[in-house]
Every structure is written in structure tokens, then in C-alpha cells.
Amino acid sequence: QVQLVESGGGLVQAGGSLRLSCAASGRTFSAYAMGWFRQAPGKERKFVARISWNGGNTYYADSVKGRFTISRDNAKNTVYLQMNSLKPEDTAVYYCAADMSATSTYDYWGQGTQVTVSS
């Protein structure tokens, strides 16, 4: 079992920045990949970013490439999502998730944190 707890969401003006954190517990954090997803009201949950177990590989949705950065600190069992140049269309609930088998199938999810970007 893995427990994931997101934090760092909030209200920010367009052009601003936020850093989301996701604290993991329950299993060896450095053994699995992590991802961030988001779900806007009335829409499906979508992939945002992914990072490999050691941070050596990262992947981003085209919509956030160049603005968002995913990183991890295995000593702190935490993955981060630095979000810069935020846009109103980034407004969503953001979820972190753990991929235990490196197959891009996410096995555990956090409860989500709300990000609201005002214009």
C-alpha cells in the first residue's frame, strides 16, 4: 500500500506560480515512478507530467511543457510539480499518482489539491 497526500494548491493570478507537493508513505518511494494528473470541472482527468524512479526521465503534456517542472526528492519521499506562467485553463484539481510497475498504469492516487488561476 502507498499513501499519497498532495498539498500546495490555491488561488493564483494568471502568470503566477505555485509548487505542488506530494508526500508518499507505505513503500520504498525510490522504487516507483510518479505522475501528476489534473481534472477540470466537467472534464476527464488528464496526464500532466511523469518522473521515473530516480528522476532521470521526465515527460510532460504538451499543454504544460516549458511551464511546469516535475521533480522528486527520494530522501523526503516527495514529488513536486513547479508550475510557472499559470493560465486560467490550468485551473483543476491536481492529483499525484504512483506507478509501481513502470508501465504507466498508476496504482495509487492522492486525494487531490485544487488549483485555481484567475484571469
Side-chain angles (χ1 to χ4, degrees):
Q1 285 283 353
V2 173
Q3 293 78 43
L4 303 172
V5 179
E6 301 98 334
S7 61
L11 174 64
V12 64
Q13 289 188 331
S17 299
L18 281 175
R19 188 177 81 156
L20 305 183
S21 299
C22 172
S25 61
R27 290 179 64 175
T28 305
F29 181 68
S30 60
Y32 48 90
M34 294 291 296
W36 283 98
F37 292 76
R38 66 187 182 186
Q39 186 168 20
K43 297 188 177 181
E44 293 183 349
R45 185 164 57 192
K46 292 186 176 180
F47 168 77
V48 174
R50 174 182 171 89
I51 188 166
S52 60
W53 65 274
N54 64 352
N57 293 294
T58 56
Y59 308 91
Y60 298 93
D62 287 344
S63 58
V64 306
K65 205 171 291 184
R67 300 188 298 123
F68 290 12
T69 302
I70 189 171
S71 62
R72 66 190 295 161
D73 185 339
N74 286 346
K76 295 183 178 180
N77 291 351
T78 302
V79 63
Y80 304 98
L81 186 68
Q82 178 66 44
M83 305 186 296
N84 298 329
S85 302
L86 283 162
K87 305 175 182 180
E89 52 263 44
D90 294 318
T91 294
V93 177
Y94 283 71
Y95 300 90
C96 66
D99 173 13
M100 311 304 292
S101 55
T103 60
S104 295
T105 300
Y106 292 86
D107 306 280
Y108 298 98
W109 295 80
Q111 83 289 349
T113 186
Q114 176 70 47
V115 171
T116 303
V117 184
S118 63
S119 56

